[in-house]
Amino acid sequence: MDKKEMPVAVFDSGMGGISVLREAVNLMPCEDYIYYGDSKHAPYGTKTLEEVRELTISHIDYLVKEGVKAVVIACNTATSAAVRVLREKYKDMPVIGIEPAIKPAVYYKENSTILVMATPMTLSLEKFNRLMKSYEHMADIIPVPCPGLVEFIEEGDLDGEDVKDYLHEIFLPYREKGFDSVVLGCTHYPLIRGIIQKAAGENVKLFDGGEGTAKELKRRLAEKNLLQDADRKGKIVFKNSLEDKVSLSAYLFKM
Ligand code: DGL
């Protein structure tokens, strides 16, 4: 098989990476994709660094063995924990990670207040802290860990009262001072963008890294001459470490 014809792997701890997959398919509908969610072990964001690194590497190893031309780690937590090791391991393959979209938020409005919602692990690791430091002279950047939020989404609870109450509580401490934008620093969160927008306030601008990641994937495929011919329609195969989550993945993708 010509390498160009191989699928792109998109990996997440569960359902979240579907928000990135949507962007990739929008931009490159002619590609084939394998989406793999590790819902059996989700959430990753409250595990230890070693656990997340091991889980991520073993799933990417599996996907590479299946035969893929590129890997997208569509999970901020897994990227922070394992992207460096994976790039070392798969030197000849594009390995694309995702990180909280702080840069566009900073440039959106001068001296603004930016809340960065993400998992406790993403926000505690060096990768994020370096990113935040490089922009903190331009904006007031406030990390907002959201333990427990991923679980609602994994269960398919996308707009229940519990998740709405959770979001209300999350934004409460920042109401008085006010905030201009919110970075969705976990790929699960764009799947509930509507209720996050409502809870944050209609004037607050939301940012996520999905589109940027899809563009980076396209750039990296083009660079290696690995883009599919444009006149075909690609297909998507959904896989999950929990068999009964496969149909939820396909449903969320179409939503
Ligand atoms: N979707 C993942 C992210 O972008 C994390 C979810 C989890 O905690 O498993 O960080």
PDB file of all heavy atoms in Angstrom, residues 152-168:
ATOM      1  N   PHE A 152     -18.647  13.683  33.038  1.00  0.00           N
ATOM      2  CA  PHE A 152     -20.003  13.933  32.517  1.00  0.00           C
ATOM      3  C   PHE A 152     -20.049  13.615  31.017  1.00  0.00           C
ATOM      4  O   PHE A 152     -20.963  12.979  30.519  1.00  0.00           O
ATOM      5  CB  PHE A 152     -20.383  15.419  32.677  1.00  0.00           C
ATOM      6  CG  PHE A 152     -20.625  15.864  34.094  1.00  0.00           C
ATOM      7  CD1 PHE A 152     -19.752  16.741  34.726  1.00  0.00           C
ATOM      8  CD2 PHE A 152     -21.746  15.424  34.794  1.00  0.00           C
ATOM      9  CE1 PHE A 152     -19.980  17.175  36.023  1.00  0.00           C
ATOM     10  CE2 PHE A 152     -21.987  15.856  36.093  1.00  0.00           C
ATOM     11  CZ  PHE A 152     -21.096  16.735  36.707  1.00  0.00           C
ATOM     12  N   ILE A 153     -19.024  14.102  30.325  1.00  0.00           N
ATOM     13  CA  ILE A 153     -19.009  13.979  28.860  1.00  0.00           C
ATOM     14  C   ILE A 153     -18.809  12.517  28.450  1.00  0.00           C
ATOM     15  O   ILE A 153     -19.442  12.025  27.515  1.00  0.00           O
ATOM     16  CB  ILE A 153     -17.914  14.905  28.275  1.00  0.00           C
ATOM     17  CG1 ILE A 153     -18.204  16.348  28.710  1.00  0.00           C
ATOM     18  CG2 ILE A 153     -17.844  14.796  26.751  1.00  0.00           C
ATOM     19  CD1 ILE A 153     -17.017  17.288  28.666  1.00  0.00           C
ATOM     20  N   GLU A 154     -17.963  11.816  29.192  1.00  0.00           N
ATOM     21  CA  GLU A 154     -17.748  10.389  28.905  1.00  0.00           C
ATOM     22  C   GLU A 154     -19.055   9.608  29.052  1.00  0.00           C
ATOM     23  O   GLU A 154     -19.280   8.629  28.354  1.00  0.00           O
ATOM     24  CB  GLU A 154     -16.686   9.802  29.853  1.00  0.00           C
ATOM     25  CG  GLU A 154     -15.265  10.127  29.460  1.00  0.00           C
ATOM     26  CD  GLU A 154     -14.861   9.503  28.132  1.00  0.00           C
ATOM     27  OE1 GLU A 154     -14.957   8.284  27.985  1.00  0.00           O
ATOM     28  OE2 GLU A 154     -14.446  10.265  27.233  1.00  0.00           O
ATOM     29  N   GLU A 155     -19.896  10.060  29.964  1.00  0.00           N
ATOM     30  CA  GLU A 155     -21.182   9.383  30.184  1.00  0.00           C
ATOM     31  C   GLU A 155     -22.230   9.818  29.173  1.00  0.00           C
ATOM     32  O   GLU A 155     -23.361   9.348  29.191  1.00  0.00           O
ATOM     33  CB  GLU A 155     -21.694   9.659  31.607  1.00  0.00           C
ATOM     34  CG  GLU A 155     -20.916   8.942  32.711  1.00  0.00           C
ATOM     35  CD  GLU A 155     -20.769   7.459  32.429  1.00  0.00           C
ATOM     36  OE1 GLU A 155     -21.780   6.814  32.081  1.00  0.00           O
ATOM     37  OE2 GLU A 155     -19.632   6.949  32.518  1.00  0.00           O
ATOM     38  N   GLY A 156     -21.869  10.778  28.325  1.00  0.00           N
ATOM     39  CA  GLY A 156     -22.836  11.264  27.330  1.00  0.00           C
ATOM     40  C   GLY A 156     -23.772  12.308  27.917  1.00  0.00           C
ATOM     41  O   GLY A 156     -24.776  12.679  27.305  1.00  0.00           O
ATOM     42  N   ASP A 157     -23.461  12.807  29.135  1.00  0.00           N
ATOM     43  CA  ASP A 157     -24.283  13.850  29.754  1.00  0.00           C
ATOM     44  C   ASP A 157     -23.767  15.203  29.270  1.00  0.00           C
ATOM     45  O   ASP A 157     -22.836  15.776  29.833  1.00  0.00           O
ATOM     46  CB  ASP A 157     -24.193  13.740  31.287  1.00  0.00           C
ATOM     47  CG  ASP A 157     -24.996  14.834  31.988  1.00  0.00           C
ATOM     48  OD1 ASP A 157     -25.601  15.681  31.291  1.00  0.00           O
ATOM     49  OD2 ASP A 157     -25.008  14.843  33.234  1.00  0.00           O
ATOM     50  N   LEU A 158     -24.389  15.712  28.210  1.00  0.00           N
ATOM     51  CA  LEU A 158     -23.840  16.912  27.568  1.00  0.00           C
ATOM     52  C   LEU A 158     -24.579  18.190  27.959  1.00  0.00           C
ATOM     53  O   LEU A 158     -24.090  19.288  27.705  1.00  0.00           O
ATOM     54  CB  LEU A 158     -23.885  16.759  26.041  1.00  0.00           C
ATOM     55  CG  LEU A 158     -23.185  15.518  25.471  1.00  0.00           C
ATOM     56  CD1 LEU A 158     -23.272  15.534  23.958  1.00  0.00           C
ATOM     57  CD2 LEU A 158     -21.728  15.428  25.908  1.00  0.00           C
ATOM     58  N   ASP A 159     -25.765  18.041  28.575  1.00  0.00           N
ATOM     59  CA  ASP A 159     -26.469  19.274  28.957  1.00  0.00           C
ATOM     60  C   ASP A 159     -27.410  19.069  30.136  1.00  0.00           C
ATOM     61  O   ASP A 159     -28.413  19.779  30.263  1.00  0.00           O
ATOM     62  CB  ASP A 159     -27.201  19.883  27.756  1.00  0.00           C
ATOM     63  CG  ASP A 159     -28.237  18.922  27.195  1.00  0.00           C
ATOM     64  OD1 ASP A 159     -28.338  17.788  27.718  1.00  0.00           O
ATOM     65  OD2 ASP A 159     -28.953  19.309  26.260  1.00  0.00           O
ATOM     66  N   GLY A 160     -27.069  18.117  31.007  1.00  0.00           N
ATOM     67  CA  GLY A 160     -27.910  17.861  32.187  1.00  0.00           C
ATOM     68  C   GLY A 160     -27.719  18.951  33.242  1.00  0.00           C
ATOM     69  O   GLY A 160     -26.793  19.764  33.157  1.00  0.00           O
ATOM     70  N   GLU A 161     -28.590  18.953  34.247  1.00  0.00           N
ATOM     71  CA  GLU A 161     -28.510  19.978  35.303  1.00  0.00           C
ATOM     72  C   GLU A 161     -27.200  19.874  36.082  1.00  0.00           C
ATOM     73  O   GLU A 161     -26.629  20.881  36.481  1.00  0.00           O
ATOM     74  CB  GLU A 161     -29.708  19.865  36.268  1.00  0.00           C
ATOM     75  CG  GLU A 161     -31.023  20.378  35.670  1.00  0.00           C
ATOM     76  CD  GLU A 161     -30.903  21.727  34.946  1.00  0.00           C
ATOM     77  OE1 GLU A 161     -30.379  22.679  35.555  1.00  0.00           O
ATOM     78  OE2 GLU A 161     -31.323  21.814  33.774  1.00  0.00           O
ATOM     79  N   ASP A 162     -26.709  18.634  36.297  1.00  0.00           N
ATOM     80  CA  ASP A 162     -25.474  18.456  37.085  1.00  0.00           C
ATOM     81  C   ASP A 162     -24.288  19.140  36.422  1.00  0.00           C
ATOM     82  O   ASP A 162     -23.501  19.811  37.077  1.00  0.00           O
ATOM     83  CB  ASP A 162     -25.123  16.965  37.210  1.00  0.00           C
ATOM     84  CG  ASP A 162     -26.093  16.249  38.110  1.00  0.00           C
ATOM     85  OD1 ASP A 162     -26.962  16.933  38.681  1.00  0.00           O
ATOM     86  OD2 ASP A 162     -25.986  15.015  38.213  1.00  0.00           O
ATOM     87  N   VAL A 163     -24.179  18.951  35.103  1.00  0.00           N
ATOM     88  CA  VAL A 163     -23.026  19.541  34.414  1.00  0.00           C
ATOM     89  C   VAL A 163     -23.182  21.073  34.352  1.00  0.00           C
ATOM     90  O   VAL A 163     -22.207  21.813  34.503  1.00  0.00           O
ATOM     91  CB  VAL A 163     -22.738  18.845  33.054  1.00  0.00           C
ATOM     92  CG1 VAL A 163     -23.900  18.931  32.130  1.00  0.00           C
ATOM     93  CG2 VAL A 163     -21.513  19.418  32.371  1.00  0.00           C
ATOM     94  N   LYS A 164     -24.416  21.533  34.214  1.00  0.00           N
ATOM     95  CA  LYS A 164     -24.640  22.998  34.219  1.00  0.00           C
ATOM     96  C   LYS A 164     -24.282  23.582  35.582  1.00  0.00           C
ATOM     97  O   LYS A 164     -23.648  24.648  35.659  1.00  0.00           O
ATOM     98  CB  LYS A 164     -26.101  23.308  33.876  1.00  0.00           C
ATOM     99  CG  LYS A 164     -26.408  23.126  32.401  1.00  0.00           C
ATOM    100  CD  LYS A 164     -27.851  23.468  32.120  1.00  0.00           C
ATOM    101  CE  LYS A 164     -28.196  23.166  30.676  1.00  0.00           C
ATOM    102  NZ  LYS A 164     -29.635  23.044  30.455  1.00  0.00           N
ATOM    103  N   ASP A 165     -24.676  22.889  36.667  1.00  0.00           N
ATOM    104  CA  ASP A 165     -24.331  23.364  38.022  1.00  0.00           C
ATOM    105  C   ASP A 165     -22.816  23.377  38.206  1.00  0.00           C
ATOM    106  O   ASP A 165     -22.252  24.294  38.799  1.00  0.00           O
ATOM    107  CB  ASP A 165     -24.940  22.446  39.093  1.00  0.00           C
ATOM    108  CG  ASP A 165     -26.447  22.608  39.163  1.00  0.00           C
ATOM    109  OD1 ASP A 165     -26.974  23.571  38.562  1.00  0.00           O
ATOM    110  OD2 ASP A 165     -27.108  21.757  39.788  1.00  0.00           O
ATOM    111  N   TYR A 166     -22.167  22.325  37.698  1.00  0.00           N
ATOM    112  CA  TYR A 166     -20.704  22.248  37.803  1.00  0.00           C
ATOM    113  C   TYR A 166     -20.068  23.488  37.166  1.00  0.00           C
ATOM    114  O   TYR A 166     -19.206  24.134  37.746  1.00  0.00           O
ATOM    115  CB  TYR A 166     -20.215  20.965  37.101  1.00  0.00           C
ATOM    116  CG  TYR A 166     -18.709  20.780  37.145  1.00  0.00           C
ATOM    117  CD1 TYR A 166     -18.121  19.878  38.035  1.00  0.00           C
ATOM    118  CD2 TYR A 166     -17.863  21.517  36.305  1.00  0.00           C
ATOM    119  CE1 TYR A 166     -16.739  19.725  38.086  1.00  0.00           C
ATOM    120  CE2 TYR A 166     -16.487  21.372  36.353  1.00  0.00           C
ATOM    121  CZ  TYR A 166     -15.935  20.474  37.235  1.00  0.00           C
ATOM    122  OH  TYR A 166     -14.563  20.339  37.278  1.00  0.00           O
ATOM    123  N   LEU A 167     -20.520  23.822  35.977  1.00  0.00           N
ATOM    124  CA  LEU A 167     -19.934  24.965  35.250  1.00  0.00           C
ATOM    125  C   LEU A 167     -20.217  26.282  35.966  1.00  0.00           C
ATOM    126  O   LEU A 167     -19.355  27.163  36.051  1.00  0.00           O
ATOM    127  CB  LEU A 167     -20.466  25.010  33.814  1.00  0.00           C
ATOM    128  CG  LEU A 167     -19.994  23.856  32.922  1.00  0.00           C
ATOM    129  CD1 LEU A 167     -20.766  23.850  31.611  1.00  0.00           C
ATOM    130  CD2 LEU A 167     -18.494  23.945  32.645  1.00  0.00           C
ATOM    131  N   HIS A 168     -21.408  26.390  36.516  1.00  0.00           N
ATOM    132  CA  HIS A 168     -21.757  27.599  37.267  1.00  0.00           C
ATOM    133  C   HIS A 168     -20.755  27.795  38.410  1.00  0.00           C
ATOM    134  O   HIS A 168     -20.207  28.886  38.616  1.00  0.00           O
ATOM    135  CB  HIS A 168     -23.186  27.454  37.802  1.00  0.00           C
ATOM    136  CG  HIS A 168     -23.595  28.588  38.664  1.00  0.00           C
ATOM    137  ND1 HIS A 168     -23.913  29.823  38.153  1.00  0.00           N
ATOM    138  CD2 HIS A 168     -23.698  28.691  40.019  1.00  0.00           C
ATOM    139  CE1 HIS A 168     -24.196  30.639  39.149  1.00  0.00           C
ATOM    140  NE2 HIS A 168     -24.069  29.984  40.284  1.00  0.00           N
TER     141      HIS A 168
END
